[in-house]
Amino acid sequence: MKIAEVSEKYGISPDTLRYYERIGLLPRVNRSESGVREYTELDLRRVEFIKCMRSAGLPIEVLIDYMQLIEQGDSTIETRKEILIEQRDLLLQRMQQLQKTLDVLNHKIEVYEKIILGKEKQMVQAVVAIEE
Amino acid sequence: MKIAEVSEKYGISPDTLRYYERIGLLPRVNRSESGVREYTELDLRRVEFIKCMRSAGLPIEVLIDYMQLIEQGDSTIETRKEILIEQRDLLLQRMQQLQKTLDVLNHKIEVYEKIILGKEKQMVQAVVAIEE
DNA sequence: TCTTGACTTGGAGTCACCTCCAGGTGATAG
DNA sequence: CTATCACCTGGAGGTGACTCCAAGTCAAGA
C-alpha cells in the first residue's frame, strides 16, 4: 500500500505519516526500487495502533519508547506492559475529569434551557447560578 | 484574593492567570491602588469554570467567545447554550474515543500478562496478536 | 532607610505536534 | 517524448497554550 492509500484509510496525512517515521515512531517503511514507501500489513497495524493511542492523547514520546521496545524483542515485554499500565491509569484519570466536565456542561445547559423556557420562578436563581 | 493565593487554590500558575486575562478569557480583574490584582468571588468562579473546561480540552478560543457573550448580558443566552451543547457533543465523542483506546490498552495488557505468566499454549498467538 | 519579596507590564521564548514547502526523481498517459 | 502526477527529502513554518524574562513599582519588616 502506498502512502496516499494509507493516509486515506486511516485519516492521517501523508506528511504526518512521514513525520512519524522520521521521529522513529514508525520503524522505517520499506521502499520500492524508486524509493516509494510500500506499507506492509504489519506497518498498517502499527499505524492503526498509533492512531488509536494518539487519539486518546498518549504522548508521542511514550509511543516512541514503546515502539522501540517492540523492536528489541521479547525481553522487553515486562517493560512494555508497565508502560501500557501507566498510560491506562493516566487515561482513566483523564476520563474521570472529562466526566466531571461533562456533568458541569449538562448542568449549565439544563439551566439555560429553564431560562429560555421562561420558568420565571427559577430565573433569578438560575441566572445567578450560571452566569457566574 | 491575590494572584498567588488564586494560583495556589486552583493549581494554575500566576503567569497563566495573567495570560488568561490578557487574551480576554478572564475579564479584567480589579486592581488595588498600587495596581495589584484583587480577585473577587465572581472572578474565582470564572477561574474555576475555565479550569474545569480546559482540563477537558475545550479550546481557549471557544471559551473566550463564551466568556465574552456572558459579558454581553442575557440576550446571548441562546447562543451560549448552543456553544455549550456543541462542546458537550464533542466531549462525548472524545470520551467514546478514550473508551475505545482504554479497551485496546486493557486487551494488550491482558495479553502481556498471559505471556509473562508463561501460558505457553497462547504464547505464539499472543505474541503475534500484540507485537504488531 | 534600606532591603526583600510579591506584584506589575509587554514582549520573547518554549514545547508538542504537526504542516508546508522547494527542489528533485520516476512511472505512466497522451 | 514530454507532461503530469504522486512520490521523495530535508528543512522551515505554524498553532495552541502556555512559560519565562527584564525592568519596574510598592508595602512591610530589620
Side-chain angles (χ1 to χ4, degrees):
Chain A
M1 227 184 203
K2 278 192 277 183
I3 201 163
E5 298 167 89
V6 180
S7 167
E8 174 74 14
K9 177 160 182 170
Y10 294 104
I12 301 174
S13 79
D15 266 321
T16 300
L17 288 167
R18 284 189 283 255
Y19 165 70
Y20 283 170
E21 201 177 323
R22 259 202 284 198
I23 63 174
L25 180 49
L26 283 173
R28 182 176 170 81
V29 174
N30 275 337
R31 315 293 150 105
S32 73
E33 280 149 41
S34 55
V36 175
R37 285 174 182 79
E38 184 58 42
Y39 289 80
T40 64
E41 270 304 310
L42 179 54
D43 291 324
L44 295 188
R45 262 175 284 143
R46 284 166 170 166
V47 167
E48 189 169 18
F49 174 69
I50 289 166
K51 186 196 175 177
C52 180
M53 296 301 122
R54 286 293 305 129
S55 73
L58 274 73
I60 280 189
E61 267 300 311
V62 171
L63 296 176
I64 291 175
D65 288 353
Y66 180 78
M67 297 309 270
Q68 283 175 356
L69 288 172
I70 287 181
E71 296 290 282
Q72 290 167 38
D74 290 1
S75 65
T76 64
I77 283 178
E78 183 69 43
T79 315
R80 281 187 256 161
K81 192 189 93 178
E82 272 154 25
I83 289 177
L84 295 193
I85 287 175
E86 191 184 339
Q87 292 305 311
R88 179 196 49 194
D89 294 349
L90 290 170
L91 188 49
L92 280 167
Q93 283 173 38
R94 290 199 289 120
M95 287 174 79
Q96 279 169 28
Q97 183 52 60
L98 293 209
Q99 185 60 55
K100 269 192 210 166
T101 304
L102 181 62
D103 293 344
V104 169
L105 281 174
N106 275 328
H107 174 71
K108 283 193 182 274
I109 289 166
E110 212 178 278
V111 177
Y112 275 134
E113 235 132 46
K114 277 185 192 150
I115 296 172
I116 290 167
L117 289 173
K119 299 196 173 174
E120 281 83 7
K121 266 190 194 167
Q122 294 145 342
M123 273 189 70
V124 178
Q125 276 179 297
V127 171
V128 169
I130 277 204
E131 304 284 321
E132 26 263 347
Chain B
M1 226 182 203
K2 279 190 278 183
I3 202 163
E5 299 168 90
V6 180
S7 166
E8 174 74 14
K9 176 161 182 171
Y10 295 104
I12 300 173
S13 79
D15 266 322
T16 300
L17 287 167
R18 284 189 283 257
Y19 164 70
Y20 283 169
E21 201 178 323
R22 260 202 285 200
I23 63 174
L25 181 49
L26 284 173
R28 183 177 169 80
V29 173
N30 275 338
R31 315 291 149 110
S32 72
E33 282 149 41
S34 55
V36 174
R37 285 174 183 78
E38 185 56 44
Y39 289 79
T40 64
E41 269 304 310
L42 180 52
D43 292 323
L44 295 189
R45 261 175 284 143
R46 284 165 169 167
V47 168
E48 189 169 19
F49 174 69
I50 289 166
K51 186 195 175 178
C52 180
M53 296 301 122
R54 286 293 305 129
S55 73
L58 274 73
I60 280 190
E61 269 300 327
V62 171
L63 296 176
I64 290 175
D65 289 353
Y66 181 78
M67 296 309 271
Q68 284 175 355
L69 288 172
I70 287 181
E71 296 290 281
Q72 290 167 38
D74 290 359
S75 65
T76 65
I77 283 178
E78 183 70 42
T79 315
R80 281 186 256 161
K81 192 189 92 179
E82 273 153 24
I83 289 177
L84 296 193
I85 287 175
E86 192 184 339
Q87 292 306 310
R88 180 197 49 193
D89 295 349
L90 290 170
L91 188 48
L92 280 168
Q93 282 173 38
R94 290 200 291 118
M95 288 174 78
Q96 280 168 29
Q97 184 52 60
L98 293 210
Q99 184 61 55
K100 268 191 211 166
T101 304
L102 182 61
D103 293 343
V104 170
L105 281 175
N106 275 328
H107 173 71
K108 283 192 183 275
I109 289 166
E110 212 178 278
V111 177
Y112 276 134
E113 237 133 46
K114 277 185 194 150
I115 296 173
I116 290 167
L117 290 173
K119 300 194 174 174
E120 281 83 7
K121 267 189 195 168
Q122 294 145 343
M123 273 188 72
V124 177
Q125 277 178 298
V127 171
V128 169
I130 276 203
E131 303 285 319
E132 28 265 344

